[in-house]
Amino acid sequence: MLSEEKTTERSLVSQQRIRGARWARARLWRLSLAVLLLTLLALVLGLGILFHGDGSCSAPAQDSPGLSCLSPACLSVTAHLSSSLDPYADQCQDFFQFACGARLREPATGGRQRGRNRQLQPGRPASSPEQRGNARQRMLRDILESPKGSGAADSAEEKAGRFYRSCMDTARITDLGAQPALELIEQLGGWPVSGVWKRSDFNATLRSLMRDYSTFPFFSVYIGRDPQDLSPNSTAKYIQIDQPDFQIPAEWNTKDRKPKAEVVRIYISYLVSLLSLLGIQSSPTSMPTGLVTAFASELSRAATPLRDRKARGLLYQRTTIAQLQEAAPAVDWLSSLEATFHPIQLNESDVIFVHDFPYLISMSRSVSNWYKLGTVHSYMILSLLHTVLPALDSRFTELRLNLSNALEDTRERAPRWQECVSQTERVFESALGAMFIDQTFTAPTQEEQAEDLISNIYSSLKAKLVDLQWKDAETKSIALEKIQSLPPRLAKYPGVLDRRKLNEHYSQVSVSEDVYFMNYLQSLSISQQRKMRLLSGAVDTDMFSLSPVSGSPSLCPSGIVFPPGMFHQPLFHPDYPRAVNYGAMGTAVAKGILHLLLSHIEGALSPAASPLTLTECLMLQFRNSSREGDRSSFQVTSEEQWLLHMAFEVSFQVTH
């Protein structure tokens, strides 16, 4: 039980960082880039397995003509690797620089330039921003922009293409300017800062924001398991009430947890600029701006830091909707939650989990105290605007980026096509999956080789786990039994490939090629429908529950499922030599299985379990390079290093 509680708390930490901690999102960005670089290392090592079987740095033998691979797929991966290699580096002295040197020299993509970036050497240009987009998103972009990807009139594929094109039509978005946002505010009754406000019911506005626009100003809502339910076959899910994504992050290190003065000034400047773009004249000292800032600050100060909640037992407090209503009466909890999960019917006696009860009580008191001034309504509208800013023109998106940068969120602006691919996938992931399978899994051997790779890696991993140094015999037995009960497989999508069912699934989705803002609003509503399916339990049997183009495996009651979207160039192709497929994709598959296995058995391995083998040189080089100042952006955790280490070992064994 203790292990399950620790695992659940670690999962909550991840969810908290994604939703609320801007500095954690920056860390995730760095980790993602580090994993990309490590993947490039795996590709290079795959070629090393092919040409230098022992993985040593000794003088290479004479090339054998029989080892040459001149297929289009091999030439493509060679070009991809060549764009990342630093041919001037000594692979035995600094393998990290040798494998990823070209990537390290690339400047930041938009936003602020980083002082740690290396200067480009004369005559050696960096790749374009589009080349820095990850391979999966480039693959989806090619599908959406392909003439073959348009689909029949009003089909799911055609709607996906229309959505993407509306997002890419920046000229039209610029022409509309702030008008779509102003019309939306008017539909909600206006707001006090503009001087036009049809005073509305607080809970009616809150229900609308939660149901139609996936906006949660005062608390967040998601679905999760009961940590006390340790049954391996349990599929029960419960509503979880947590802190929101605060507009003003509090400074947790101070005794009174007041936001830094500089943070408050940044937020006020953001408000003034945003109102100006909406045609509303304001100033840092104006009453509406000051009141909203004071209210936002009061909310963030009432929140309890995660470490304190864990120490005080405030996580996973089991309660009912009725009990929450009594403790925090300003919110009509039953109607708000029913709006969020419509059409599911809820009852006041339904069990839910709360992760910061004192905050919810304080939040309710603040709402009651501030509502008559119109400040609460203005705050809700600002929360909605923050949600929809990505659908407005570049002035608004730049303002949001500047706010993130000012608050030390070091994420950088992605190319427009990348943002549009992500938004299209958010709505049409199943349609994109069908298009991907049709256009990518064309070779008769692609699916067969993917299944063989998964099976071979699984067998190698089971053998490897037997030899590891576990904490004790009982833990080893649990781990081996667990891995035996999680047979991995390649996901199948008969429903997605059935165009009639697919089109029926998206029949209620209406897409306008002229107004991206309306399409974006519809995507927010669809995200709420997915929460409903998760709560109802339909997600476990729903053919659309795991996206075919997902980039990571998923754990389901029958085992570990690998989506087809993982098996694409440059990581995998039927025409690659076996060593390249296993060096790159085999490592990714092994790492995915290990991650899902060990996340359920915390502290299972002995500290001495990490083996000293072929990849020791690589990992030492990576750790050393991560400590250098100009590479600290790419530092990853020791756990991530160990997982990659083990995964490559497993993959290497299969090729020998």
Side-chain angles (χ1 to χ4, degrees):
M1 181 179 297
L2 181 60
S3 175
E4 180 69 16
E5 289 177 351
K6 289 182 177 179
T7 301
T8 307
E9 289 180 1
R10 188 172 65 242
S11 175
L12 179 63
V13 171
S14 175
Q15 294 167 353
Q16 285 289 79
R17 287 174 176 168
I18 293 173
R19 288 192 303 271
R22 289 182 169 87
W23 54 88
R25 291 201 296 266
R27 183 184 175 208
L28 287 175
W29 179 89
R30 292 194 297 270
L31 178 59
S32 298
L33 185 54
V35 172
L36 169 63
L37 297 177
L38 289 172
T39 301
L40 294 173
L41 294 178
L43 277 167
V44 176
L45 285 171
L47 292 174
I49 294 173
L50 177 65
F51 294 111
H52 308 283
D54 63 353
S56 68
C57 289
S58 59
Q62 294 295 321
D63 291 340
S64 169
L67 290 176
S68 299
C69 177
L70 300 177
S71 69
C74 285
L75 294 176
S76 174
V77 74
T78 300
H80 181 84
L81 287 170
S82 297
S83 67
S84 302
L85 294 174
D86 182 353
Y88 302 100
D90 187 331
Q91 58 182 314
C92 294
Q93 296 298 320
D94 192 344
F95 189 78
F96 186 81
Q97 176 65 27
F98 169 73
C100 308
R103 298 281 175 175
L104 291 173
R105 288 190 302 274
E106 293 173 357
T109 309
R112 296 176 298 178
Q113 296 289 327
R114 298 183 184 281
R116 291 189 294 262
N117 285 345
R118 296 187 172 195
Q119 296 299 319
L120 292 174
Q121 296 182 13
R124 301 175 67 184
S127 59
S128 68
E130 291 194 13
Q131 289 175 316
R132 289 193 288 273
N134 67 62
R136 191 178 71 88
Q137 286 191 309
R138 291 199 305 272
M139 171 195 68
L140 296 179
R141 178 195 60 179
D142 292 343
I143 289 175
L144 287 166
E145 294 181 352
S146 168
K148 297 180 181 178
S150 58
D154 215 33
S155 64
E157 293 97 325
E158 196 271 338
K159 289 179 179 179
R162 237 189 295 160
F163 187 100
Y164 175 77
R165 290 191 295 274
S166 73
C167 179
M168 291 293 292
D169 190 357
T170 54
R172 174 61 175 163
I173 295 173
T174 300
D175 287 343
L176 292 174
Q179 191 59 34
L182 293 173
E183 292 176 354
L184 178 60
I185 295 173
E186 185 178 353
Q187 291 175 15
L188 293 170
W191 57 335
V193 297
S194 65
V196 180
W197 179 35
K198 300 176 183 177
R199 187 175 292 272
S200 57
D201 178 70
F202 162 74
N203 279 290
T205 303
L206 182 61
R207 285 194 297 269
S208 179
L209 295 184
M210 295 171 65
R211 178 187 64 239
D212 301 326
Y213 308 112
S214 192
T215 297
F216 299 84
F218 309 108
F219 50 87
S220 64
V221 178
Y222 60 97
I223 305 302
R225 291 186 57 184
D226 177 0
Q228 301 298 322
D229 184 358
L230 303 181
S231 172
N233 298 320
S234 175
T235 59
K237 304 291 194 305
Y238 298 87
I239 295 173
Q240 316 274 324
I241 309 294
D242 209 339
Q243 298 172 1
D245 186 357
F246 293 108
Q247 294 186 19
I248 298 182
E251 175 56 47
W252 300 123
N253 294 326
T254 59
K255 186 175 181 180
D256 56 1
R257 297 204 306 271
K258 289 183 179 179
K260 291 181 179 179
E262 179 61 23
V263 172
V264 174
R265 285 194 292 268
I266 290 170
Y267 180 72
I268 291 175
S269 176
Y270 162 75
L271 287 185
V272 172
S273 299
L274 178 59
L275 293 176
S276 177
L277 291 178
L278 294 171
I280 302 171
Q281 297 304 314
S282 182
S283 69
T285 58
S286 66
M287 182 175 294
T289 302
L291 291 177
V292 168
T293 302
F295 177 70
S297 177
E298 184 174 304
L299 288 179
S300 65
R301 290 202 312 272
T304 308
L306 182 59
R307 62 178 179 272
D308 292 349
R309 282 184 282 159
K310 293 172 67 175
R312 294 165 55 187
L314 297 179
L315 299 177
Y316 290 101
Q317 289 186 287
R318 190 184 184 98
T319 186
T320 65
I321 296 177
Q323 290 169 335
L324 180 59
Q325 184 65 59
E326 183 178 356
V331 177
D332 187 340
W333 292 99
L334 181 61
S335 67
S336 295
L337 294 176
E338 282 189 326
T340 302
F341 298 103
H342 179 79
I344 296 178
Q345 295 294 315
L346 301 174
N347 298 307
E348 290 185 340
S349 59
D350 286 342
V351 172
I352 59 175
F353 287 89
V354 172
H355 300 287
D356 192 349
F357 230 130
Y359 163 75
L360 295 177
I361 295 172
S362 178
M363 176 273 297
S364 174
R365 188 181 305 115
S366 296
V367 167
S368 298
N369 293 339
W370 287 84
Y371 183 73
K372 291 182 179 180
L373 298 173
T375 304
V376 174
H377 188 83
S378 295
Y379 183 84
M380 288 195 287
I381 297 299
L382 285 169
S383 298
L384 175 61
L385 286 172
H386 196 71
T387 300
V388 303
L389 282 184
L392 297 172
D393 66 67
S394 59
R395 298 173 302 162
F396 291 91
T397 54
E398 193 69 28
L399 181 62
R400 185 180 185 185
L401 179 65
N402 290 340
L403 174 65
S404 297
N405 286 340
L407 295 177
E408 299 182 357
D409 182 343
T410 54
R411 289 181 305 167
E412 295 164 352
R413 186 172 185 177
R416 180 68 185 182
W417 70 263
Q418 211 167 339
E419 296 177 357
C420 292
V421 166
S422 296
Q423 292 301 332
T424 306
E425 184 183 4
R426 178 180 181 179
V427 183
F428 294 99
E429 59 182 7
S430 298
L432 285 177
M435 296 159 74
F436 165 76
I437 294 173
D438 280 350
Q439 296 187 28
T440 306
F441 272 60
T442 54
T445 59
Q446 178 122 350
E447 183 174 333
E448 180 181 343
Q449 287 194 24
E451 291 175 337
D452 286 346
L453 183 146
I454 293 173
S455 177
N456 292 335
I457 291 294
Y458 179 55
S459 298
S460 176
L461 180 59
K462 287 193 294 184
K464 188 71 176 177
L465 291 179
V466 174
D467 298 329
L468 286 182
Q469 299 179 36
W470 297 92
K471 182 175 63 176
D472 50 49
E474 181 182 0
T475 303
K476 178 178 180 178
S477 176
I478 293 173
L480 296 180
E481 181 180 348
K482 189 73 175 177
I483 193 66
Q484 193 69 35
S485 67
L486 298 174
R489 59 183 173 85
L490 184 68
K492 307 292 185 181
Y493 294 90
V496 167
L497 296 177
D498 185 332
R499 291 303 192 269
R500 182 185 61 81
K501 289 184 178 179
L502 187 65
N503 293 337
E504 181 180 343
H505 181 72
Y506 288 103
S507 61
Q508 301 301 315
V509 180
S510 176
V511 179
S512 166
E513 195 158 347
D514 293 330
V515 186
Y516 173 61
F517 189 84
M518 300 306 297
N519 298 336
Y520 185 85
L521 292 184
Q522 192 167 193
S523 74
L524 298 176
S525 177
I526 290 173
S527 70
Q528 289 305 107
Q529 296 173 20
R530 289 178 182 151
K531 286 184 181 179
M532 178 274 295
R533 294 210 311 271
L534 190 61
L535 180 62
S536 67
V539 71
D540 291 330
T541 57
D542 189 349
M543 65 181 180
F544 304 101
S545 60
L546 175 63
S547 169
V549 293
S550 173
S552 58
S554 178
L555 185 62
C556 66
S558 61
I560 298 174
V561 179
F562 285 87
M566 291 184 63
F567 296 85
H568 61 81
Q569 289 184 276
L571 302 181
F572 179 85
H573 195 278
D575 291 343
Y576 286 173
R578 176 183 173 89
V580 176
N581 276 333
Y582 278 81
M585 198 66 245
T587 301
V589 168
K591 183 173 178 291
I593 297 175
L594 277 168
H595 177 75
L596 291 174
L597 171 66
L598 296 179
S599 66
H600 290 272
I601 315 175
E602 184 169 333
L605 293 173
S606 164
S610 182
L612 299 177
T613 52
L614 171 69
T615 54
E616 180 187 16
C617 176
L618 163 64
M619 300 316 299
L620 286 174
Q621 288 291 343
F622 181 77
R623 285 194 291 271
N624 291 337
S625 63
S626 296
R627 284 192 289 269
E628 297 177 13
D630 60 339
R631 294 181 189 169
S632 58
S633 294
F634 309 111
Q635 189 171 2
V636 296
T637 64
S638 58
E639 179 184 3
E640 195 75 17
Q641 294 174 8
W642 187 89
L643 283 176
L644 187 76
H645 181 106
M646 271 293 299
F648 186 77
E649 278 295 311
V650 169
S651 184
F652 180 77
Q653 286 182 348
V654 178
T655 62
H656 282 65

